[in-house]
Amino acid sequence: MRIDVVTIFPSYLAPLREALLGRAIDRGLIEVAVHDLRDWTHDVHQAVDDSPYGGGPGMVMKPQVWGEALDSVIGPVIDSPARLVVPTPAGRPFTQQLAHEWTSAERLVFACGRYEGIDQRVVDHYAQRMPVDEVSIGDYVLVGGEVAVLVMVEAVVRLLPGVLGNPRSAAEDSFSDGLLEGPAYTRPEVWRDLPVPPVLRSGDHAAVDRWRRDRALERTARLRPDLLAALPPDALDEADRAV
Ligand code: ADE
């Protein structure tokens, strides 16, 4: 997978080359390029924004600069089946399911807006040429899309084959079965008077699986009742309902 990010703060994206993502780059599993939007300006001030039509506070990012940048980064669409992602608090929610869907894209191009956003015609224009997603990482407002890109890229890349050491880590994540994951423990057996739940040391795999499922159900009911309510009717069996 190739990932391109266009931003006015390229250094904000430096963490894309750290840790798990850095190793995925080194091993050739992903390719990452970060581009400075101002490279496509033509005036001395390298202006990327202008005041909004209709008035109001803040500035709107100019469509001409974004058009030149994205034409150049995306290239002829025929050569590069890319998806364009525009992070914005006004987008649809980013979820584990969307992260899974994006793993089948050969290219992801992220357009980071700042200020009051990007002139809407940029999204409207590229939506005629390629899949475009306006996506929010949560119901709060960040200063720009850069941090949202870090979040989304990390969520997608860890799902790519070969990136995680143990593929079960991704298969058994929170959300993969519609529930939050339950608690985890390691040595020592007792820490500050707190013991590890005995069932986890019993060697009874069926009992361990049942215990983990029960804790996942309990935690989800307590913290995210909306997730429980959204499960398909056949997702819970008799034993689950008894929790
Ligand atoms: N840009 C500003 N806030 C954002 C959010 N919550 N999600 C995605 N992009 C954003």
Side-chain angles (χ1 to χ4, degrees):
M1 175 183 284
R2 181 183 162 96
I3 295 164
D4 289 280
V5 186
V6 185
T7 168
I8 54 168
F9 295 111
S11 56
Y12 234 93
L13 281 305
L16 287 179
R17 303 190 188 280
E18 296 290 332
L20 178 109
L21 297 176
R23 279 200 304 281
I25 295 171
D26 294 343
R27 291 160 59 208
L29 298 170
I30 56 167
E31 215 183 312
V32 173
V34 178
H35 312 270
D36 188 341
L37 179 68
R38 291 193 204 275
D39 290 348
W40 286 278
T41 56
H42 301 289
D43 61 311
V44 282
H45 302 294
Q46 298 193 298
V48 292
D49 60 325
D50 203 341
S51 46
Y53 273 114
M59 300 289 267
V60 178
M61 295 187 101
K62 294 154 72 75
Q64 307 96 311
V65 184
W66 272 108
E68 284 195 36
L70 292 175
D71 283 350
S72 156
V73 168
I74 295 165
V77 169
I78 201 87
D79 299 340
S80 59
R83 294 189 82 93
L84 177 63
V85 181
V86 183
T88 162
R92 67 161 156 151
F94 182 69
T95 59
Q96 189 70 4
Q97 190 190 329
L98 199 53
H100 270 287
E101 283 173 35
W102 289 354
T103 58
S104 54
E106 266 171 58
R107 292 191 62 192
L108 291 175
V109 178
F110 292 92
C112 296
R114 289 246 145 190
Y115 318 115
E116 297 305 305
I118 302 173
D119 187 301
Q120 189 61 37
R121 290 168 293 182
V122 174
V123 163
D124 296 346
H125 169 78
Y126 286 96
Q128 296 167 0
R129 295 174 40 179
M130 60 197 293
V132 178
D133 295 298
E134 291 178 279
V135 182
S136 166
I137 63 161
D139 290 343
Y140 38 78
V141 181
L142 305 169
V143 188
E146 286 77 8
V147 171
V149 169
L150 293 176
V151 168
M152 293 189 276
V153 169
E154 185 166 310
V156 172
V157 171
R158 68 185 286 283
L159 296 175
L160 296 176
V163 170
L164 290 182
N166 184 346
R168 278 183 56 196
S169 305
E172 294 173 16
D173 275 340
S174 284
F175 309 114
S176 52
D177 58 2
L179 300 177
L180 301 182
E181 230 181 338
Y185 300 86
T186 186
R187 277 179 281 270
E189 225 174 277
V190 179
W191 180 76
R192 299 193 180 176
D193 290 335
L194 296 169
V196 169
V199 63
L200 297 180
R201 301 189 297 107
S202 68
D204 179 343
H205 297 298
V208 169
D209 287 349
R210 182 69 253 168
W211 184 88
R212 286 195 170 137
R213 175 93 179 159
D214 291 349
R215 297 295 79 72
L217 286 160
E218 244 173 36
R219 185 178 276 195
T220 310
R222 183 163 44 92
L223 300 177
R224 294 293 304 277
D226 57 309
L227 292 180
L228 270 193
L231 288 176
D234 58 351
L236 301 184
D237 62 19
E238 289 285 299
D240 291 337
R241 286 178 210 286
V243 177

